[in-house]
Amino acid sequence: MNKTEENNRGDLHLFDSQKQIDLFSSVHPRLNHLYFDKACEELAKSLLGKIFVRKLGREILKGKIVETECYLGGIDKASHSYNGRITERNRPMYMKPGTTYVYLTYGMYYCFNISSRGDGAAVLLRALEPITGFDYMNEQRCNKRKKKNVSSDDAEVKKSTKQKELKVQELCNGPAKLCISFGIDKSCNEKDLSEFDSMWCEDDSSETQQELQIVSCPRIGIDSAGIEWASKPLRFYIFGNPFVSKRDKVHEKMLFDM
DNA sequence: CTACGGATGCCCT
DNA sequence: GGGCATCCGTAGA
């Protein structure tokens, strides 16, 4: 773990110039819009192991997608698009495959989704394994937390600036945390991931040899949708990956009891 | 390790 | 006005 972290931190300077960024992108081409044009569940699983890339000015951020949830649309009581509901907010769920859907929840956190078939279904990104841009991500996360401490007491300020080092595992292990780390807000909403300049998905060529073991389990934070839909195994994550937001040991066992 | 309450503002009925 | 596809700090086992 530490080894890869060091390597990745070291990689940062390689991407300083635009030419090198383009060169890298041509080696790992972005996923085109046809890639996203598949059933929600299939898309949610196939996105695991893919590289999510964010370009912010000269800053390049990368993370491997390690946890997703799918929201099926019309029939899914936990989905914003349940019963075919169309509102100003959930409009991107009905747009072209690969369209981003960013919304605010609990008044202060963003969640990031990708539409699948344009029928109201979408995939929520729940956790990323940071690959490039640790320092930037850490800064974003710490700044957000600092704002929570309203007190302007000198001792408090010193205290909060001092403990300015989150574990890499804590940077993107949650749907809102990854949005903070990757600077995702409303300005990223309704974008086509096959064309958007500052955000896209890539294949991970370094991992082609490994077959991923995928855990399927119930989604998180949707109990109010009722037991039937809350219990359906529509959350997916890479087994054994330490950057997942929350393990489900019961369903991990089922992987091997087949 | 789990449990719980507060933060905080938009969305939808 | 009620309810969040969440996170964080604190308390207790």
Side-chain angles (χ1 to χ4, degrees):
Chain A
M1 206 58 56
N2 287 337
K3 203 174 174 185
T4 54
E5 186 191 341
E6 273 181 43
N7 286 344
N8 289 324
R9 282 177 186 270
D11 280 344
L12 254 183
H13 69 278
L14 291 177
F15 305 113
D16 273 358
S17 82
Q18 185 61 43
K19 278 180 186 173
Q20 282 165 330
I21 289 168
D22 292 342
L23 184 65
F24 189 85
S25 294
S26 64
V27 176
H28 301 269
R30 74 160 62 188
L31 303 177
N32 63 32
H33 115 268
L34 285 176
Y35 178 86
F36 298 99
D37 188 13
K38 58 183 82 167
C40 189
E41 229 170 310
E42 195 185 332
L43 177 59
K45 284 188 266 195
S46 71
L47 281 170
L48 296 177
K50 297 289 187 284
I51 307 299
F52 183 66
V53 186
R54 177 95 166 106
K55 195 160 76 117
L56 288 161
R58 294 175 67 250
E59 198 81 38
I60 283 282
L61 308 175
K62 292 180 184 236
K64 182 162 79 175
I65 299 170
V66 299
E67 179 183 346
T68 59
E69 275 178 4
C70 75
Y71 289 82
L72 299 179
I75 57 170
D76 183 355
K77 284 190 177 170
S79 176
H80 290 166
S81 52
Y82 171 59
N83 208 16
R85 193 169 62 191
I86 302 177
T87 65
E88 183 61 26
R89 182 179 64 159
N90 73 8
R91 195 171 59 192
M93 299 182 91
Y94 297 90
M95 294 171 70
K96 177 179 170 183
T99 302
T100 61
Y101 171 37
V102 179
Y103 69 89
L104 191 66
T105 190
Y106 292 96
M108 58 181 117
Y109 296 114
Y110 289 105
C111 288
F112 180 81
N113 299 254
I114 302 172
S115 76
S116 68
R117 280 252 165 99
D119 56 359
V123 174
L124 170 72
L125 297 195
R126 280 200 58 92
L128 304 172
E129 173 181 338
I131 293 175
T132 299
F134 297 84
D135 293 338
Y136 186 89
M137 296 181 202
N138 187 62
E139 207 172 311
Q140 295 293 300
R141 293 266 286 118
C142 290
N143 285 343
K144 178 85 177 181
R145 294 171 119 190
K146 221 184 291 177
K147 282 176 190 169
K148 291 186 75 172
N149 304 342
V150 190
S151 78
S152 55
D153 185 52
D154 279 5
E156 285 297 311
V157 172
K158 277 181 184 173
K159 196 177 164 189
S160 57
T161 48
K162 207 173 184 179
Q163 51 171 206
K164 205 180 181 179
E165 194 70 14
L166 287 168
K167 292 176 192 163
V168 183
Q169 271 148 284
E170 296 172 329
L171 292 175
C172 302
N173 62 337
K177 292 179 188 175
L178 71 89
C179 284
I180 297 167
S181 282
F182 276 66
I184 294 172
D185 57 24
K186 267 298 192 189
S187 70
C188 305
N189 193 32
E190 292 191 6
K191 303 296 184 186
D192 180 350
L193 279 181
S194 61
E195 292 185 345
F196 192 29
D197 285 339
S198 61
M199 185 186 289
W200 63 89
C201 292
E202 296 176 354
D203 248 315
D204 182 8
S205 63
S206 66
E207 194 119 359
T208 46
Q209 48 200 10
Q210 292 188 42
E211 184 84 7
L212 296 178
Q213 286 188 291
I214 299 177
V215 180
S216 308
C217 59
R219 294 171 290 183
I220 290 178
I222 54 158
D223 286 346
S224 62
I227 185 72
E228 184 191 350
W229 283 94
S231 59
K232 287 190 188 296
L234 295 174
R235 181 165 75 103
F236 308 99
Y237 65 88
I238 298 176
F239 176 72
N241 188 290
F243 298 91
V244 161
S245 72
K246 192 177 185 196
R247 292 176 63 185
D248 186 324
K249 295 186 180 178
V250 173
H251 287 257
E252 284 184 6
K253 257 192 158 181
M254 293 168 66
L255 247 190
F256 305 103
D257 289 349
M258 292 196 297

